[in-house]
Amino acid sequence: MYKIKPNKASQHKWIAVSRNLLKRWKGNLQYGDLVKIEGAGHKDGVYKVVDTMNKRYKHRIDFLETAGTDLYKYENVKLKKLS
């Protein structure tokens, strides 16, 4: 439902979350919620939940990135829902 500028996707500050984090599957988040992310290095900040990851993933988030962005991975990231 959102329009993405492919050459500026990283600037949208959007994330996809694993299903277990969504209320629909007994988590705490809903689409449109704002969350603060810490412990993710250059990706720390406030993001909007806009998508769901494949059901095989648990306790994960995925940042929307512009094509060609170098790959990265962080562990022990803190995610806090903003009211």
Side-chain angles (χ1 to χ4, degrees), residues 33-82:
D33 282 350
L34 294 177
V35 295
K36 184 175 182 179
I37 297 173
E38 296 177 341
H42 74 288
K43 299 307 289 186
D44 282 0
V46 176
Y47 290 82
K48 186 175 189 176
V49 177
V50 298
D51 200 6
T52 310
M53 298 173 71
N54 187 289
K55 65 183 176 181
R56 71 179 176 261
Y57 297 110
K58 303 277 190 245
H59 306 289
R60 293 190 186 187
I61 61 172
D62 191 16
F63 296 97
L64 175 65
E65 292 287 9
T66 303
T69 300
D70 290 338
L71 298 178
Y72 55 88
K73 180 178 179 179
Y74 294 100
E75 295 185 16
N76 301 315
V77 172
K78 293 182 183 178
L79 184 83
K80 180 181 178 183
K81 180 179 173 182
L82 301 177

